[in-house]
Amino acid sequence: MTGKATSEAPASGPEESASEPAKVPTPEASGEMAALEPPREEQAPQPQEPVAEAPAPAAPTAAKPAPPSEDVPSAPLQLTMEDVSDSSVTVSWEPPEKLGRLGLRGYVLEVCQEGASEWVPVNDWPMMVTQQTMRNLTLGDKFFLRVAAVSSAGAGPPAVLDQPIHIQEIIEAPKIRVPRHLRQTYIRQVGEAVNLQIPFQGKPRPQASWTHNGQALDSRQASVRTGDQDSILFIREAQRSDSGRYELTLQLKGLEAKAAIDILVIEPPGPPSSIRLLDVWGCNAALEWMPPRDTGNTELLGYTVQKADKKTGQWFTVLERYHPTTCTISNLIVGNTYSFRVFAENQCGLSASAAVTKELAHIKKADIAAKSKGFTERDFSEAPSFTQPLADHTSTPGYSTQLFCSVRASPKPKIIWMKNKMDIQGDPRYRALSEQGVCTLEIRKPSPFDSGVYTCKAINVLGEASVDCHLEVKASATH
């Protein structure tokens, strides 16, 4: 026994309905069950309306009805206003506790304008719904609503809303939605167009106004067009004077919203005010200049320094986005003559002209003369000394063996090998070598007879030195 229904507002007021039979608009039923219509030959029972004998009070009340019979249902429960807008209202209720002996045929919703006493039915026939929406209402309407349950025996006592329903315009607070790219400084060049579209919300449409640096916007400077959902600020050809803070203000019945947008209009900077050649030395030249008087309404990104050879006249960039106002230019070609120029640079680019040095830098050829420097010859003469002595050695008969030692001396010493203090040079069984101070004595296929003390002696004009070692050649065991 639940459902929803939608009804149109009554076309005539309560005054007209009092003089002639009330015309009930046809509701558009929706929900689980449609409205129940009686047969055409029978007329639908109308809700019993108690006649108010006293003057109409602020909230219309009916005289106490006679106690309902068992055939008539009791009053619906929990009549509540669910929703109200600027053109509609929705109410709902719960079924009555007692449906009556003859059963429930539906509900009848009635409306009474504030200050009147006549109740006007909203639906022609009882509808088996517990929620109903009245549409196409007029702003400013103020009325009461009641609902009664109906059976075949008639309508039961109604349930009445305690407070009147007031149809008034729904106010939505204004809100400005600044686009992301406008939340930081908006930069344009001189002569470009500025077109700012700022969306906003608000119902009804709020009043929009623009200011520039706290002052009212000059219509000769910019044009503004405001629609239902956005406001557009347009400047056909931006000038530097258009820079500053623009503020959009929305006002709606005491409510206000503001948004600020910073605009910066820039142009290329002027050239450095002066430049001079400080010094020229070797293949280097030092320059100095002054910052430009006009930076183009924004910060400089730096300076571009160029050089040109007098022979070719072609300009070549030496430094880019260079911040100091002094520099040294190196690697200039000897014999050439150079001139220099400096541009200023900002976000728009380089300045239209440059500051050029009046003086020329002549890179002269330096007189180069070879200067002889006295050289002191060092005496490296040294008496012989052994850095690695001979080591005692044991050998096997029949296998060649070698003795090693190293000597240092200047001039180169004479090497003499001895066995048991006897000179063995010229003996074919021995071969002596000396290379890079390393002295070697090779004994070819030694025998026990070759055992003994071997001496290596080094001699030069500054002196002599010698080292000894013992060589033992063991005889092979015989069986």
Side-chain angles (χ1 to χ4, degrees):
M1 296 176 61
T2 59
K4 300 180 182 179
T6 303
S7 303
E8 303 291 337
S12 60
E15 292 80 1
E16 298 177 2
S17 60
S19 57
E20 57 186 29
K23 296 182 179 179
V24 183
T26 303
E28 298 176 3
S30 63
E32 300 177 1
M33 300 180 63
L36 300 178
E37 294 189 6
R40 295 186 179 272
E41 58 272 14
E42 296 181 4
Q43 185 163 348
Q46 297 295 328
Q48 297 178 2
E49 298 184 12
V51 179
E53 298 179 0
T61 58
K64 291 183 178 180
S69 65
E70 296 180 358
D71 297 339
V72 178
S74 60
L77 304 176
Q78 300 180 13
L79 178 59
T80 307
M81 181 179 65
E82 297 288 343
D83 183 39
V84 63
S85 68
D86 55 1
S87 63
S88 66
V89 63
T90 301
V91 292
S92 66
W93 58 89
E94 295 293 333
E97 292 182 358
K98 299 179 181 180
L99 301 181
R101 189 173 58 183
L102 300 180
L104 184 66
R105 294 192 59 193
Y107 302 92
V108 173
L109 183 66
E110 295 179 316
V111 60
C112 179
Q113 297 291 334
E114 186 182 39
S117 59
E118 192 74 21
W119 289 91
V120 179
V122 175
N123 47 313
D124 288 332
W125 311 105
M127 303 181 67
M128 194 64 79
V129 294
T130 57
Q131 179 174 310
Q132 196 162 345
T133 300
M134 296 174 58
R135 302 190 184 278
N136 299 329
L137 301 176
T138 305
L139 287 176
D141 284 351
K142 196 171 185 181
F143 52 85
F144 291 87
L145 285 177
R146 73 180 185 182
V147 63
V150 180
S151 69
S152 299
V160 185
L161 278 179
D162 296 336
Q163 299 295 330
I165 298 174
H166 191 189
I167 303 301
Q168 52 188 339
E169 194 170 28
I170 303 300
I171 297 178
E172 181 182 349
K175 183 179 180 181
I176 302 174
R177 300 169 56 192
V178 179
R180 185 184 300 272
H181 70 282
L182 296 179
R183 296 176 189 174
Q184 55 189 358
T185 302
Y186 184 62
I187 300 177
R188 306 298 290 171
Q189 294 189 25
V190 172
E192 292 182 344
V194 176
N195 189 11
L196 306 182
Q197 183 177 9
I198 312 299
F200 61 78
Q201 297 174 344
K203 185 178 180 181
R205 190 179 87 176
Q207 295 292 328
S209 61
W210 287 84
T211 60
H212 178 210
N213 294 331
Q215 304 295 326
L217 193 64
D218 187 357
S219 59
R220 297 171 298 179
Q221 175 187 6
S223 60
V224 174
R225 183 180 63 81
T226 301
D228 293 336
Q229 298 179 347
D230 58 17
S231 184
I232 299 176
L233 173 70
F234 180 73
I235 302 175
R236 187 174 299 277
E237 293 183 359
Q239 302 299 323
R240 289 171 60 168
S241 59
D242 295 326
S243 301
R245 169 159 291 195
Y246 290 79
E247 190 172 65
L248 171 62
T249 303
L250 299 180
Q251 294 180 337
L252 177 61
K253 295 187 178 181
L255 302 175
E256 187 177 72
K258 292 185 177 182
I261 300 170
D262 294 320
I263 297 179
L264 181 63
V265 182
I266 62 176
E267 60 183 341
S273 55
S274 63
I275 184 173
R276 63 192 183 101
L277 185 64
L278 294 179
D279 190 15
V280 178
W281 73 98
C283 297
N284 310 298
L287 303 176
E288 182 183 35
W289 61 90
M290 298 298 293
R293 297 185 179 90
D294 181 12
T295 61
N297 202 29
T298 185
E299 296 182 356
L300 293 178
L301 298 179
Y303 301 94
T304 297
V305 182
Q306 296 181 342
K307 66 179 180 180
D309 181 12
K310 187 177 179 181
K311 297 178 181 178
T312 62
Q314 295 182 354
W315 292 97
F316 297 93
T317 300
V318 180
L319 300 171
E320 285 185 307
R321 294 196 174 182
Y322 182 76
H323 290 279
T325 56
T326 59
C327 73
T328 299
I329 301 176
S330 304
N331 299 325
L332 300 177
I333 298 176
V334 175
N336 289 357
T337 301
Y338 293 91
S339 59
F340 305 94
R341 67 181 182 183
V342 178
F343 292 89
E345 184 179 3
N346 64 9
Q347 295 184 40
C348 291
L350 298 177
S351 55
S353 58
V356 184
T357 54
K358 296 180 180 178
E359 306 88 355
L360 297 178
H362 303 281
I363 308 302
K364 299 179 180 179
K365 296 180 180 179
D367 296 333
I368 301 175
K371 296 181 180 179
S372 59
K373 186 176 181 180
F375 177 74
T376 302
E377 186 175 359
R378 183 178 176 183
D379 185 9
F380 290 97
S381 298
E382 183 181 2
S385 63
F386 284 89
T387 58
Q388 182 66 36
L390 291 172
D392 292 343
H393 193 66
T394 299
S395 180
T396 302
Y399 293 92
S400 297
T401 187
Q402 292 179 338
L403 303 177
F404 298 95
C405 64
S406 59
V407 66
R408 183 176 66 187
S410 181
K412 184 178 180 179
K414 179 181 178 182
I415 303 300
I416 300 175
W417 286 93
M418 295 181 292
K419 174 189 175 187
N420 297 328
K421 297 185 179 180
M422 297 294 293
D423 189 352
I424 57 176
Q425 295 188 65
D427 192 329
R429 292 183 302 157
Y430 303 99
R431 186 176 69 164
L433 301 174
S434 178
E435 185 177 357
Q436 300 292 329
V438 178
C439 303
T440 306
L441 177 65
E442 181 181 358
I443 305 173
R444 300 173 178 174
K445 297 181 179 181
S447 63
F449 174 78
D450 294 317
S451 299
V453 178
Y454 287 82
T455 304
C456 179
K457 180 183 290 185
I459 304 173
N460 68 3
V461 294
L462 298 179
E464 64 179 42
S466 64
V467 290
D468 300 328
C469 74
H470 183 269
L471 175 63
E472 180 180 1
V473 181
K474 293 183 178 181
S476 58
T478 58
H479 300 280

